[in-house]
Amino acid sequence: VAHLPYLRENPAGWVTETWYCRSGCRRYFTIERNTATNEIRDTEAS
Amino acid sequence: MTDNRLPERAGEVIDRGTSLAFTWNGQGYTGYQGDTIASALASSGVEVFARSMKYKRRRGIMTADHWDPNLFVQVGDEPNVRAGSRRLIAGMEVSAQNVWPSLKFDLGAANQMVGRFLSPGFYYKTFMRPKWFWHNVYQKVLRKFAPGGRIHWETSTHGAYDKRYAHPDVLVAGGGPAGMGAAIAAAEAGASVMLVEHEPELGGHLRWGGADDLTAIAELVSAVESHPSIEVLTDSTVTGRYDHNWIAVMQRSHEIAPERLIKARAASLVVAPGLIERPYIFAGNDTPGVMLSGAVRRLINLWAVKPGTKAVVLSANPEGEAVLADLESAGVEIVAALDVWAGEDVVEVEGKGRVAKVVLGDGRTVSADLVVIGTGWTAPTSLLNMAGDRPVYDPSAARYFSNHLPDNVLATGGITGNGTTAELIAHGRATGSLAASRALRSRHDRRVLASRARNPEGPKPESLQDTRVPLARVPHPECYRSSTHGMVDLSEDVSSKDLVQATKEGFDSIELMKRYTTVTMGPSQGKLETVNAAAVLAEARNMDMVDIGTTVWRPPYAPISLGALAGRIFEPIRRSALQDWHEAHGASPLLAGQWVRPDHYGDPVGESRNVRENVGIIDVTPLGKLDLRGPDVTKLLELVYVNKWQKLDIGRVRYGAMVAEDGVVSDDGLTGRLGEDHYLMTTTSSGAGAVWELLEDYLQTYRPEWDVHVTAVTGGLTSINVAGPKSRDLLLRLAEGVDLDSEAFPYFHVRRGTVAGVADCIIWRIGFTGELSYELHVPSGHALHVWESLLANGEDLGIKPFGVESQRILRLEKGHYIVGQDTDGLTKAPSAGLGGLVKLDKPDTLGLPELKAAYSRTDLPILVAIQPDDPQVVPMEADQIVHGDSNRILGRITSSRMSPTLGRSVCLGLVDPSLSAAGTTITILLIDGRRVTGTVQEHHAHVDPEGVRQNA
């Protein structure tokens, strides 16, 4: 089984994600999210 | 019929001028406007409302509010209506549910006598084996005893449920004195406020209080209602708090919908739910006539209903004592007023349909028909739990208090401590100011972020410090169980004895005990029983309550009907510019994804024949269309499609197939090159949105340096396919500036030109039907003109419009597969017969690693054309292809129709590779159980595999 399409790391803590503003500006952008608390922050914060 | 209605009272909410007639189990009753179903029935002397879930014990009013554990009734075709809170409406047909055969005589009551069979874990222990017995016997019998009302699928008259989105700065959950104080202060500070109250009126516990309380309510309500920034939602419940203060509000009795789900994103949430009165455990505590002090006060003061004639009152707090004055004013004789602080107690209640005798702690037995319990409070900490709080038990106050809250959630009122009305309002106001300050600062931050250069309405508001003086925690006795055992969970019929038994069996943690005994798992969801259950467990294990912990309160706080969750769908319905014409000309509508399309115009078979013999036109506007411009379009196409795109000359068209990262076929379509740096890409109708997003994703994140501009033009260009041997003859009459000669404009080419006087049309020589055909992409504003011109000019050629069903027949005859119908979420590229198309030597293609892996496999199913050996048998789509007489599945039929051209049935199917060779006989298992044989064909196309017709 190939790793990329089927398996993802799922760390507790800050991860970098791509979000998509579907109902708004249609931009894809990078954001950081804490998987334990669902806090989000700008990538510049790190 | 007894009349329990009292003379007029100061705070009553009933309108004695408006009498409402309704029925209860078929008998006529009346109540007043403002009554609940329960108060109306109680005013007429009804004492038994239901039978309990397991033991079928008679049950009556206990809390006289939304949480009353046994007041579930059927109203017309609506099951599980809470009689404790549902307001009476004239003509309601109310009946008891969970009774069989009737409320007065219930067969299940025999369960009481065999109570030992219904011990905790009874179902787990008893209905295990033999296995076949479950399906054949247990299930059928048990269903008769299952609680719940009846749903009427056919006759529901509830109309449409609805949804709403809201973005208040501050959302206040609870409209008592603290909640109203918070709303007023927050609004005064400049915040927009949504104030949500569970009951039909604002006021909280002041509503059933004395004259001072009623005056306080009037002042608060007038301040709330006169402030333009406060939106008040009564008869509405905050049912959940999710991440980033995403708040779910269930609004009942809305004027246009029976229930409306409001999804609110609040900058600050103020939690002010007050307290819920807690029942007390003793033998017979579920007998009708045992009521909590709040229930008695509500019945007397709100609805002017006399709850009994001779009362025993057990009280541990001032609210419990206040009930004495109410009872006296209602003319109820007080047989005994017992004080918990003085060691007085109620030990047992005797009586079947109503309290008759009460055994007191000092051993005396007294006659009474009412036992009033005021022994403590449960803090409804659900919303705090959902915000990550883990409340901690305080033994001196005998209830739980908040431990830690995030900045955007604040608590006020009774849930945080005790206070006079003035103290509660003051604490609420301070909390509202704080909530507004935090909300306005966060609003400022968002405006700065979103607008960048624009003026964010002045400087950032000052941060307000939390200087609130906490409300006092007034000492309260820990008062959970008498010396006898009784019911803990009246919804689920779980007694304290059951909990002790579960502890002995080893289910001695609160979470295990809950799941094993189902305590707190009924409709009350722990509001009345969680703390008592923890107390019984603590006692059984000889532990402190603090160390027992509680179960976690999860959303929803109050039940939400499925209709409200489904709500109104905000998905738009899309119509092509020609849909009005279709409907005016007899088209049957077909809902396909977001689109309404013409399924057929009355005769899909005739429409198909006409395409093969003359010429037909079909509206294929939903076909996804993406206009791609820029020097790097070729690179983009190379990336997202499995085939090569380098050498596509201007004016040519190529088929492309797309796979996802897992190698599964995700979309396909034709792309034409209109100019040097200009392509028009088509996608499947259902995949149009997803492909657009995919292209944007790759262009924005993976190859931002590529110069490609994507414009979705699906609705902007109306697509009309002109198909049939006479299609060229027709277009010759209407097209200008295009050489239609087959040599000059062959199959799989695209031109631009004028059609019926409309410039800038794109003319493709492509089609799904296998006939000579042209697809016109017309600017939508002129589409109707072009469509009508085609019909008018083709009359002598036998032109007819055809619909989607006819196109499905024609494309199946031609063997064209549809992604999503003939493929599914597991169909990889080799299965779809894309072998010659896929180029594995490209440097970079979406899904390439998985494609390579897929092409090294020999076990993937193959899409083949199949003809049943009996030409009149038309299998159903999804009929299984099996191995001989066995039920071993070797594939399935994916498309199947009777072919008008061939006069026989034709199919496509996905089959095991062992069956994929041409000439193989396969067995199809029809839905009626018959097995028929079919033969695998050499080509996907049943009609014209050489393509003579489309290349003509």
Side-chain angles (χ1 to χ4, degrees):
Chain A
V1 176
H3 190 272
L4 177 74
Y6 301 110
L7 301 172
R8 294 281 194 280
E9 296 298 321
N10 185 23
W14 289 99
V15 294
T16 305
E17 296 180 331
T18 301
W19 285 25
Y20 172 47
C21 184
R22 168 175 274 153
S23 303
C25 65
R26 294 193 166 265
R27 283 260 293 236
Y28 288 81
F29 57 95
T30 307
I31 199 166
E32 290 180 11
R33 180 175 67 93
N34 189 318
T35 55
T37 62
N38 267 347
E39 282 173 273
I40 53 171
R41 68 185 184 197
D42 209 310
T43 42
E44 291 154 24
S46 55
Chain B
M1 212 175 282
T2 330
D3 184 7
N4 286 336
R5 194 74 74 173
L6 297 164
E8 202 161 321
R9 299 186 67 87
E12 69 181 26
V13 297
I14 48 171
D15 171 9
R16 292 178 192 250
T18 312
S19 205
L20 308 174
F22 68 106
T23 64
W24 165 245
N25 294 329
Q27 269 196 295
Y29 284 81
T30 55
Y32 291 127
Q33 181 84 42
D35 260 325
T36 62
I37 295 171
S39 71
L41 287 171
S43 80
S44 300
V46 172
E47 291 168 348
V48 178
F49 285 73
R51 293 281 186 160
S52 70
M53 179 183 146
K54 259 190 338 201
Y55 301 116
K56 306 291 173 182
R57 288 165 68 89
R58 293 175 177 85
R59 292 280 165 80
I61 293 177
M62 173 168 249
T63 70
D65 64 6
H66 195 72
W67 311 122
D68 214 318
N70 294 117
L71 299 193
F72 288 82
V73 295
Q74 178 97 22
V75 176
D77 66 355
E78 188 182 358
N80 303 323
V81 172
R82 290 168 182 242
S85 59
R86 177 66 67 87
R87 290 300 185 259
L88 190 66
I89 294 173
M92 269 182 167
E93 290 172 9
V94 185
S95 57
Q97 58 186 42
N98 192 25
V99 289
W100 181 58
S102 75
L103 181 61
K104 281 209 175 112
F105 175 75
D106 192 303
L107 275 178
N111 286 352
Q112 287 181 78
M113 288 171 253
V114 290
R116 64 188 183 87
F117 289 123
L118 297 178
S119 62
F122 167 71
Y123 290 87
Y124 306 134
K125 291 169 185 165
T126 310
F127 297 114
M128 293 285 287
R129 39 185 89 76
K131 208 171 162 188
W132 62 270
F133 214 64
W134 171 254
H135 187 72
N136 293 296
V137 180
Y138 292 144
Q139 194 185 183
K140 283 175 186 158
V141 176
L142 286 175
R143 193 153 284 177
K144 291 253 188 227
F145 290 92
R150 298 178 309 274
I151 298 178
H152 299 251
W153 296 101
E154 311 291 327
T155 61
S156 177
T157 51
H158 300 297
Y161 290 77
D162 204 6
K163 265 186 199 148
R164 176 191 161 190
Y165 293 83
H167 302 83
D169 291 324
V170 177
L171 192 147
V172 182
M180 282 196 280
I184 294 163
E188 284 170 355
S192 64
V193 180
M194 182 178 268
L195 174 61
V196 183
E197 168 53 43
H198 182 71
E199 295 276 328
E201 296 100 21
L202 292 171
H205 67 275
L206 301 182
R207 291 164 61 229
W208 48 87
D212 293 349
D213 292 339
L214 297 178
T215 310
I217 294 185
E219 283 168 8
L220 286 166
V221 167
S222 110
V224 162
E225 290 183 343
S226 64
H227 207 295
S229 306
I230 303 176
E231 179 182 8
V232 180
L233 299 172
T234 51
D235 200 9
S236 304
T237 309
V238 176
T239 61
R241 186 268 180 190
Y242 303 84
D243 289 320
H244 305 118
N245 266 358
W246 192 109
I247 315 289
V249 180
M250 179 54 55
Q251 184 181 14
R252 293 177 292 271
S253 64
H254 182 265
E255 60 191 25
I256 63 159
E259 273 182 28
R260 182 160 76 158
L261 178 63
I262 301 175
K263 299 178 174 185
R265 181 77 70 181
S268 294
L269 170 68
V270 175
V271 181
L275 294 170
I276 293 177
E277 196 167 21
R278 191 164 57 217
Y280 184 53
I281 306 166
F282 56 91
N285 65 343
D286 61 334
T287 312
V290 176
M291 297 183 196
L292 303 188
S293 74
V296 169
R297 301 195 67 196
R298 278 188 285 277
L299 283 173
I300 294 173
N301 294 324
L302 295 182
W303 300 295
V305 171
K306 186 177 178 181
T309 55
K310 294 169 75 179
V312 171
V313 179
L314 177 67
S315 168
N317 49 53
E319 291 81 5
E321 283 153 22
V323 82
L324 291 170
D326 287 338
L327 286 169
E328 276 168 24
S329 74
V332 180
E333 181 195 337
I334 313 273
V335 178
L338 308 170
D339 184 357
V340 173
W341 291 103
E344 292 169 322
D345 202 357
V346 166
V347 174
E348 189 176 355
V349 159
E350 289 166 20
K352 223 176 183 181
R354 180 77 192 192
V355 172
K357 288 199 168 99
V358 185
V359 182
L360 309 182
D362 58 12
R364 278 189 299 146
T365 299
V366 295
S367 288
D369 61 356
L370 179 65
V371 175
V372 185
I373 299 294
T375 54
W377 308 95
T378 294
T381 54
S382 300
L383 292 173
L384 307 180
N385 268 128
M386 294 173 208
D389 193 7
R390 292 291 171 268
V392 174
Y393 182 71
D394 180 347
S396 72
R399 63 182 202 255
Y400 288 80
F401 288 95
S402 171
N403 184 30
H404 176 75
L405 285 172
D407 280 349
N408 58 4
V409 179
L410 303 95
T412 184
I415 197 168
T416 69
N418 304 74
T420 62
T421 303
E423 284 166 344
L424 290 171
I425 295 171
H427 193 271
R429 288 194 67 105
T431 304
S433 303
L434 197 56
S437 157
R438 291 176 183 171
L440 294 174
R441 284 169 64 80
S442 111
R443 182 164 87 181
H444 176 91
D445 287 346
R446 287 198 312 278
R447 284 191 186 224
V448 170
L449 262 186
S451 63
R452 309 275 178 197
R454 270 188 281 143
N455 178 12
E457 287 184 355
K460 186 161 181 168
E462 288 290 309
S463 172
L464 208 60
Q465 294 303 304
D466 186 355
T467 56
R468 290 177 293 171
V469 182
L471 292 169
R473 296 185 183 183
V474 171
H476 195 288
E478 292 184 271
C479 193
Y480 300 106
R481 188 174 76 83
S482 177
S483 55
T484 49
H485 281 289
M487 283 295 165
V488 176
D489 188 329
L490 276 79
S491 314
E492 293 281 299
D493 263 2
V494 180
S495 72
S496 50
K497 211 184 255 177
D498 294 335
L499 300 184
V500 173
Q501 172 71 22
T503 312
K504 284 183 187 155
E505 290 181 31
F507 297 93
D508 56 0
S509 92
I510 187 80
E511 294 283 1
L512 283 177
M513 192 179 79
K514 163 184 165 182
R515 283 157 182 80
Y516 187 57
T517 63
T518 71
V519 71
T520 76
M521 287 168 72
S524 302
Q525 285 287 293
K527 287 171 191 69
L528 305 175
E529 56 275 351
T530 284
V531 180
N532 280 344
V536 172
L537 178 60
E539 193 189 339
R541 296 194 60 191
N542 198 20
M543 283 171 68
D544 283 334
M545 286 274 285
V546 182
D547 300 323
I548 289 291
T550 55
T551 54
V552 177
W553 305 67
R554 294 187 181 82
Y557 178 67
I560 303 172
S561 66
L562 292 175
L565 284 178
R568 172 154 54 121
I569 295 169
F570 286 118
E571 186 104 0
I573 292 176
R574 303 185 71 182
R575 299 164 63 85
S576 92
L578 302 172
Q579 186 59 29
D580 286 346
W581 187 95
H582 302 318
E583 286 170 16
H585 290 79
S588 300
L590 172 75
L591 278 172
Q594 295 181 329
W595 292 85
V596 188
R597 308 190 61 180
D599 195 16
H600 56 78
Y601 301 85
D603 177 16
V605 171
E607 290 162 24
S608 305
R609 284 211 182 92
N610 195 56
V611 171
R612 292 264 182 256
E613 289 161 14
N614 298 309
V615 58
I617 52 174
I618 180 170
D619 177 2
V620 289
T621 303
L623 182 85
K625 295 175 282 286
L626 297 168
D627 184 278
L628 309 177
R629 294 181 200 231
D632 296 316
V633 173
T634 318
K635 290 180 191 165
L636 178 66
L637 294 171
E638 284 270 311
L639 177 67
V640 299
Y641 279 131
V642 297
N643 46 324
K644 292 203 168 177
W645 290 86
Q646 299 290 4
K647 291 174 193 143
L648 185 69
D649 293 333
I650 294 171
R652 297 199 64 139
V653 173
R654 188 168 289 168
Y655 171 80
M658 195 177 286
V659 300
E661 282 181 342
D662 56 5
V664 170
V665 179
S666 59
D667 205 82
D668 67 348
L670 303 176
T671 297
R673 189 172 184 187
L674 300 177
E676 182 60 31
D677 293 333
H678 186 191
Y679 292 71
L680 185 58
M681 177 185 199
T682 69
T683 73
T684 59
S685 301
S686 55
V691 173
W692 183 23
E693 290 181 347
L694 180 93
L695 298 189
E696 282 294 342
D697 187 358
Y698 276 83
L699 287 171
Q700 289 183 33
T701 65
Y702 183 60
R703 293 294 182 211
E705 73 277 13
W706 284 357
D707 190 357
V708 179
H709 198 87
V710 184
T711 312
V713 293
T714 302
L717 292 174
T718 295
S719 308
I720 302 167
N721 196 280
V722 186
K726 296 176 184 169
S727 56
R728 185 184 291 123
D729 298 340
L730 173 59
L731 275 192
L732 280 168
R733 301 173 183 180
L734 288 165
E736 295 165 56
V738 185
D739 185 353
L740 292 172
D741 182 80
S742 194
E743 300 258 310
F745 188 0
Y747 187 57
F748 262 39
H749 281 65
V750 63
R751 299 286 182 266
R752 312 187 73 157
T754 299
V755 179
V758 177
D760 287 329
C761 292
I762 298 157
I763 307 168
W764 308 65
R765 198 170 153 196
I766 57 173
F768 214 30
T769 59
E771 287 303 313
L772 170 67
S773 67
Y774 298 87
E775 194 157 294
L776 312 177
H777 289 189
V778 182
S780 288
H782 301 295
L784 185 58
H785 166 74
V786 172
W787 178 266
E788 288 182 329
S789 300
L790 287 165
L791 289 168
N793 285 276
E795 214 165 328
D796 60 314
L797 302 173
I799 193 168
K800 272 187 197 166
F802 64 106
V804 175
E805 173 58 18
S806 176
Q807 181 179 246
R808 282 185 181 156
I809 295 170
L810 294 163
R811 70 91 200 172
L812 180 57
E813 289 182 341
K814 180 62 183 170
H816 288 308
Y817 70 96
I818 297 177
V819 174
Q821 162 142 357
D822 299 296
T823 72
D824 61 25
L826 293 172
T827 309
K828 305 209 171 193
S831 299
L834 297 175
L837 198 67
V838 177
K839 295 290 182 274
L840 297 176
D841 58 345
K842 290 202 292 177
D844 194 7
T845 295
L846 173 54
L848 190 62
E850 282 299 300
L851 272 180
K852 286 180 177 168
Y855 273 98
S856 69
R857 288 173 60 175
T858 54
D859 59 333
L860 294 172
I862 309 281
L863 187 69
V864 295
I866 296 162
Q867 292 188 354
D869 293 337
D870 178 344
Q872 296 310 309
V873 169
V874 185
M876 276 176 69
E877 288 166 355
D879 275 349
Q880 300 296 316
I881 294 164
V882 294
H883 183 262
D885 287 333
S886 80
N887 281 340
R888 187 150 69 89
I889 296 168
L890 292 174
R892 67 167 199 280
I893 300 292
T894 59
S895 290
S896 178
R897 287 288 187 282
M898 175 57 73
S899 159
T901 308
L902 299 175
R904 65 152 15 265
S905 51
V906 294
C907 309
L908 281 173
L910 271 169
V911 298
D912 186 86
S914 66
L915 301 181
S916 64
T920 307
T921 297
I922 57 150
T923 305
I924 305 165
L925 177 59
L926 303 181
I927 196 158
D928 61 9
R930 279 186 300 149
R931 284 161 201 261
V932 298
T933 55
T935 305
V936 174
Q937 305 296 299
E938 188 180 351
H939 302 285
H940 279 187
H942 299 273
V943 171
D944 189 26
E946 299 80 18
V948 175
R949 302 177 75 92
Q950 71 192 13
N951 290 316

